[in-house]
Amino acid sequence: MTEPPERAPIPRTDATKAALAAAVTMVLWSSAFVGIRAIGEVFSPAPLALLRLAVASVTLTVLIGSSTRRLPPLPRDRTSWLFVASYGVLWLCCYTVALNAAELHLDAGTAALLVNIAPLLVTFGAGVVLAEGFPRPLLLGGSIGMSGIVIIGLGTDGEGDWIGVALCLLAAVLYAAGVLIQKKALDRIDATTITWLGCLIGTAVLLPWTPRLASELATAPTSAVLGAVYLGVFPTAIGFSTWAYALKRTEAGRLSVSTYAVPALSVVLSWMLLAEVPTGYGLVGGVVCLAGVAVSRYRPRRAVTGTNTVAPDTATRPCEPPERQPR
């Protein structure tokens, strides 16, 4: 096991805010799985992604305009724009379409099982690409969380096909690539800007599906339209903003392992909102997922050593002149 290089410690206040932001993200992303399942048969995968990202773009534009009265600082060099564009296309656009399409072929539990190999991909990618290393608590927590995902998947009774499996694996790879690219971009761009620009770029890429979206909106029930608006405002605009805030202040591997809580929360939300009673596998797997998150976030306290340590028997003594050698 290799340990990451020493970094300046994050202030306790920032760490607490990052943890709270991550918690908000987990809850909102969990609700997204329920929302997609509820309206996935009304909208096609690409039009649904277009509507979701368009709503998110409008929401973030309004929030930024009302809070700052001016544009946020934009990227100043070509590399930064490349990072933002890659993040917007790979994660916000392509991942969303792939996930929407996958849930047309697989049940939600199986889809969650396959997509949630992404945190492990991020963990190992961050260790290599971002030089975050492979600390033991992170690897152990990731393994525990992955086993929880497997347990949840054992409780699903749907039968999927290879198209759905391939789409879920593609979504997982896009998710992991998006996180790693976003982490690099956050060294140059603030969290609000990258989320806002990513949504705008993702929307622009999906504009060719506007005629299809218009025809589906004409026949869609109001509840489905409101569900799509919810996906755009909360899991996307707010959820990805709080994620970016937390990612800027947390190692990518460590934060990504926290997303193992998403399937556990999805089980609870689907129970509450869709009246889907979770199986015993779902309950046990959810507890295991949360345990993996707790283990991954454990950091042992390091003993204070070195030049800052003062011997207890001399700490309160006044300074005395050195003894003279006898002549």
Side-chain angles (χ1 to χ4, degrees), residues 1 4 51 62 101 125 136 171 201 230 235 294:
M1 303 295 179
L51 180 56
V62 171
R136 291 182 179 86
I201 291 171
Y230 171 85

Side-chain angles (χ1 to χ4, degrees), residues 94-105:
C94 295
Y95 164 81
T96 303
V97 174
L99 179 60
N100 292 344
E103 292 201 25
L104 295 177
H105 297 273

